Amino acid sequence: MSENLPGVPEEPVVRKGMFGAADSGDTSGYGGLVVRRAPQISSPRPYGGYFDDVTDRLELVLGTDLADAIERVVVDRGELTLHIRRERLPDVMSHLRDDPGLRFELSLGVSGVHYPHEAGAELRAVYHLCSITHNRRLRVEVSCPDADPHIPSTVSVYPTHDWHERETYDFFGIVFDGHPALTRIEMPDDWDGHPQRKDYPLGGIPVEYRGAEIPAPDQRRSYA
Amino acid sequence: MSTSYEEATEGRVYTVTGQDWDELVSEVKGNEDEHLVINMGPQHPSTHGVLRIVLTLNGETVTEARSVIGYLHTGIEKNMEYRTWTQGTTFVTRMDYLAPIFNETAYCMAVEKLLGITDRVPERAQAIRVMLMELNRISSHLVAIGTFGMELGATTPFLFGLREREMVLDLFEYITGLRMNMAYVRPGGVSVDLPAGAVDKVGEFLKIMPTRLKEMRKLLDENPAYTRRTKDVAYLDLTGCMALGVTGPVLRAAGLPWDLRKSQPYCGYETYDFGVPVERTCDVYGRYLVRVAEMEESLKIISQALDRLAGAELKGKPVMIEDKKIGWPAQLALGPDGLGNSPDHIAHIMGSSMEALIHHFKLVTEGFRVPAGQAYASVESPRGELGAHVVSDGGTRPFRVHFRDPSFTNLQAVPATCEGGMVADVISAIASLDPVMGGVDR
């Protein structure tokens, strides 16, 4: 009987009930809902389109180092993401830029993401690369734990990463080792904390509107 | 004397208050081997907002130029994590304030990619997006060229540029209700359909604009005072552009016809007939020529989009995705007060259907959920590739939104274009990069 039922997903529970409100009564009638976190995906081959060409070529260039350099490959919504081990990042990036079969000449910068729930890989640096020669796009993702927020700098490969890495450092506290001058760029030099991290509050003050007090945006009832 | 100086640890510090350049020159005359560090901005009329440049001068030659940014950082990306996906458009539109439609479209395209509805966005909405983006490109380039003229000391290009831009802003006001920051493009389509008479008004604009662009060309193209300040100034070749990630007119003035509208088309750009202007001079003048030629190409695209919108095939078609879980239920129409409204819909939800009211309430207050994952969508903004990296955790609010703003990246080219040149050319070098600080600092 039970083998006919779909398996219960193992992913951790994000929330229970329909609304995030814990203090006041949940009037939605959906208090028993359980929402689990989306599973971490890893795509199998073939990836389709030019994605196979890119990974094949990278395999050829890196040789046996490939499994050591690439943690997993994700193909999602028509985009290819390579998760690279941080020690190998500058090496892989220079191959991506220089190899005639890859030629990702243009980097569109670094974007940080903070996943506080992913133990050991809380901080991510996401690089979007573009090949003008082959008209292709590629996303490279590197993770580092919160306890050791270091990622090698790629300014020597893509000089445009200079400001982008400073921005990611400023907002997330990821230290890019080897950056020529890793200082804050948007926030004042003496600012405390890294504002885009999830543990950094948005701030704001309650506002009175027509007699009612509207709480600050991060204090309002959450539907997420 | 207004020029005063004091001995500080860095050396002698002079305070200049304006109209006292001669005094300063006589003061520093004795120290010819000393470098002069000049702080330009952040409150300076020629720095396009609150950009600060620290210049090290040897005589009138710039030996070092360092830009300092962050004066207009407003935490837009952080704020968006606390609003619904739809509310996000109200924030992104305020980033690059000269190109609001591009910000909205890039963001909405990324959200649509995450939702997997890119192919289901109605064709009419895509044509409206294209038309407004090209109108916006014209208004943005007009500001770039106009303010550039003024910064070089000529007020006529500025007056011409802003007069023409006003016509575009009037069209925006008529179509969206607002001149700037309109939050018009929404995930799934656009917020309201074109009001009655919009097609005629855009048609009138298309009749006037070519002669106005010719006037601009007559004023500047062969003007010796202009060409001497722009030709062979702020040289940045293709290698430099690639290394620094510079895109847009600066890249196309270095000889590479790289335009996302052609190379990686979106919103149906592959169905429009237009050219990609290219110059090979790598200088300020080439960037100017590219911008003017782009405006002429934009006019072609607008007229094609207008034909489609007025044609029988797209007339009266929906402008928002026909998915009741994403598109807001009301078919809004723009009223004389500049606000969208729908009396029929209000009568329906308030008078006859409780379920419709609940649905409306849930969709507007709570918003829709977006499946977990990440997406990157990019458009060719007037300044280069504008990319939106959007991450969802499956909730009703973005988990993370990052904008790759072309102004931010292009500003990194300031040392490469200014160092070794004259201090007077710093102004034209920065203006030719066309940075908008709202987009740089976000």
Side-chain angles (χ1 to χ4, degrees):
Chain A
M1 182 77 187
S2 62
E3 62 264 25
N4 292 335
L5 296 173
V8 177
E10 295 294 309
E11 275 69 30
V13 175
V14 181
R15 63 183 167 83
K16 289 185 178 169
M18 192 120 187
F19 296 135
D23 48 345
S24 60
D26 186 345
T27 54
S28 66
Y30 288 94
L33 287 183
V34 174
V35 177
R36 287 177 185 277
R37 202 163 281 295
Q40 197 179 59
I41 44 176
S42 179
S43 308
R45 271 181 180 272
Y47 307 129
Y50 63 81
F51 299 164
D52 286 299
D53 298 343
V54 171
T55 38
D56 285 347
R57 185 76 202 176
L58 203 59
E59 209 165 323
L60 199 72
V61 178
L62 290 171
T64 51
D65 291 350
L66 185 83
D68 174 46
I70 298 182
E71 284 174 340
R72 59 191 169 103
V73 179
V74 177
V75 177
D76 186 25
R77 293 166 171 103
E79 295 178 338
L80 175 65
T81 310
L82 302 179
H83 289 257
I84 309 274
R85 227 172 279 281
R86 58 175 165 167
E87 304 85 46
R88 305 296 308 279
L89 178 70
D91 180 31
V92 174
M93 285 291 224
S94 54
H95 282 306
L96 285 173
R97 186 194 64 178
D98 295 336
D99 186 81
L102 298 166
R103 276 267 193 275
F104 288 92
E105 311 94 337
L106 180 65
S107 170
L108 300 159
V110 188
S111 157
V113 190
H114 184 207
Y115 296 95
H117 52 273
E118 297 201 359
E122 288 94 347
L123 294 168
R124 304 276 179 87
V126 185
Y127 305 81
H128 291 98
L129 304 180
C130 176
S131 165
I132 289 177
T133 311
H134 302 293
N135 201 9
R136 292 168 175 171
R137 278 183 189 277
L138 169 68
R139 180 186 295 123
V140 170
E141 201 167 328
V142 185
S143 68
C144 65
D146 214 356
D148 177 31
H150 289 267
I151 289 177
S153 167
T154 44
V155 173
S156 55
V157 185
Y158 292 109
T160 180
H161 285 176
D162 183 353
W163 281 20
H164 289 275
E165 286 183 355
R166 282 177 63 192
E167 188 188 348
T168 312
Y169 160 73
D170 193 355
F171 286 157
F172 292 91
I174 301 176
V175 178
F176 291 91
D177 296 318
H179 188 284
L182 195 68
T183 51
R184 287 188 182 270
I185 187 164
E186 297 289 352
M187 307 304 287
D189 288 343
D190 54 353
W191 194 263
D192 284 329
H194 300 282
Q196 286 278 4
R197 292 171 55 96
K198 289 287 174 189
D199 48 18
Y200 191 100
L202 177 67
I205 52 164
V207 179
E208 194 185 309
Y209 181 68
R210 295 197 175 181
E213 196 178 80
I214 314 294
D218 58 348
Q219 302 300 318
R220 291 177 199 159
R221 171 181 269 202
S222 146
Y223 298 98
Chain B
M1 182 185 119
S2 50
T3 304
S4 63
Y5 66 85
E6 52 188 314
E7 300 288 343
T9 43
E10 303 86 22
R12 224 171 240 197
V13 176
Y14 297 89
T15 308
V16 190
T17 53
Q19 308 289 319
D20 49 2
W21 186 252
D22 294 336
E23 290 171 55
L24 179 73
V25 169
S26 64
E27 283 292 334
V28 297
K29 208 168 228 168
N31 322 318
E32 264 143 16
D33 54 331
E34 268 191 28
H35 285 232
L36 191 64
V37 181
I38 284 195
N39 181 57
M40 185 177 139
Q43 313 294 340
H44 191 280
S46 332
T47 55
H48 287 247
V50 281
L51 172 64
R52 178 179 158 212
I53 310 271
V54 182
L55 299 166
T56 308
L57 305 182
N58 184 4
E60 281 204 64
T61 309
V62 180
T63 55
E64 250 184 54
R66 295 289 174 267
S67 26
V68 183
I69 62 169
Y71 295 96
L72 206 57
H73 177 59
T74 45
I76 285 176
E77 289 173 0
K78 179 87 174 173
N79 264 293
M80 286 171 74
E81 293 169 14
Y82 294 88
R83 315 291 158 125
T84 67
W85 292 94
T86 309
Q87 284 173 322
T89 51
T90 344
F91 283 83
V92 297
T93 191
R94 282 160 172 78
M95 294 192 315
D96 182 343
Y97 43 78
L98 292 184
I101 295 282
F102 292 91
N103 302 336
E104 296 167 19
T105 309
Y107 169 73
C108 290
M109 276 166 56
V111 177
E112 283 156 11
K113 210 170 186 180
L114 277 174
L115 285 164
I117 57 166
T118 308
D119 299 334
R120 285 162 58 207
V121 177
E123 209 178 320
R124 187 171 171 84
Q126 298 283 33
I128 294 176
R129 283 181 186 183
V130 167
M131 186 177 85
L132 289 182
M133 275 196 281
E134 295 309 321
L135 282 169
N136 202 172
R137 191 184 311 278
I138 291 176
S139 74
S140 174
H141 280 348
L142 282 171
V143 174
I145 294 168
T147 52
F148 179 47
M150 191 175 65
E151 284 160 13
L152 294 184
T155 44
T156 319
F158 181 74
L159 296 175
F160 276 27
L162 265 82
R163 180 188 65 186
E164 267 72 280
R165 173 176 179 255
E166 204 61 25
M167 299 197 299
V168 180
L169 295 189
D170 286 345
L171 287 177
F172 282 158
E173 188 177 3
Y174 192 75
I175 292 169
T176 72
L178 292 164
R179 290 153 54 86
M180 298 170 82
N181 307 334
M182 42 288 257
Y184 179 68
V185 182
R186 304 278 172 88
V190 297
S191 66
V192 294
D193 200 355
L194 297 180
V199 172
D200 296 338
K201 278 190 188 282
V202 178
E204 273 168 41
F205 170 80
L206 285 174
K207 269 188 214 125
I208 302 169
M209 203 54 196
T211 53
R212 296 288 173 87
L213 285 181
K214 260 185 215 133
E215 268 175 38
M216 186 77 102
R217 271 189 181 281
K218 266 187 205 159
L219 186 66
L220 293 173
D221 273 11
E222 304 292 332
N223 186 339
Y226 185 71
T227 51
R228 274 184 212 163
R229 291 294 306 273
T230 53
K231 276 190 179 168
D232 301 324
V233 169
Y235 186 87
L236 188 68
D237 64 3
L238 185 55
T239 320
C241 287
M242 277 294 115
L244 293 167
V246 173
T247 46
V250 185
L251 179 63
R252 289 191 282 278
L256 186 73
W258 179 255
D259 188 321
L260 292 177
R261 293 177 293 171
K262 279 277 184 212
S263 55
Q264 297 172 357
Y266 50 91
C267 294
Y269 266 113
E270 65 274 15
T271 58
Y272 294 86
D273 178 31
F274 66 101
V276 178
V278 175
E279 291 291 327
R280 288 173 201 289
T281 52
C282 308
D283 60 0
V284 175
Y285 186 64
R287 289 162 209 158
Y288 156 77
L289 287 182
V290 167
R291 290 203 174 97
V292 180
E294 272 183 21
M295 288 197 277
E296 288 160 356
E297 295 299 323
S298 291
L299 287 177
K300 283 189 207 164
I301 302 175
I302 295 169
S303 100
Q304 291 168 49
L306 197 63
D307 287 347
R308 288 182 200 186
L309 289 168
E313 207 178 310
L314 290 184
K315 203 162 198 177
K317 287 278 155 55
V319 294
M320 181 50 96
I321 185 169
E322 285 175 320
D323 183 333
K324 295 216 180 320
K325 293 290 176 197
I326 297 167
W328 283 8
Q331 284 297 320
L332 298 180
L334 198 61
D337 54 356
L339 298 171
N341 214 336
S342 173
D344 290 348
H345 179 67
I346 291 173
H348 178 57
I349 61 172
M350 300 309 284
S352 59
S353 173
M354 185 64 192
E355 287 71 26
L357 176 65
I358 294 171
H359 176 72
H360 181 110
F361 180 75
K362 291 283 282 176
L363 200 56
V364 174
T365 58
E366 183 179 331
F368 50 81
R369 285 172 200 283
V370 172
Q374 58 181 334
Y376 179 86
S378 53
V379 299
E380 186 72 32
S381 97
R383 278 160 273 286
E385 172 162 350
L386 176 73
H389 176 221
V390 178
V391 185
S392 171
D393 67 344
T396 55
R397 307 186 297 193
F399 188 71
R400 161 86 168 128
V401 181
H402 175 74
F403 268 79
R404 187 267 182 206
D405 194 278
S407 303
F408 178 82
T409 313
N410 291 5
L411 255 191
Q412 291 190 88
V414 163
T417 50
C418 295
E419 288 179 5
M422 303 295 275
V423 64
D425 291 338
V426 170
I427 304 294
S428 55
I430 295 171
S432 76
L433 296 173
D434 189 22
V436 174
M437 297 316 286
V440 173
D441 290 336
R442 299 178 304 270

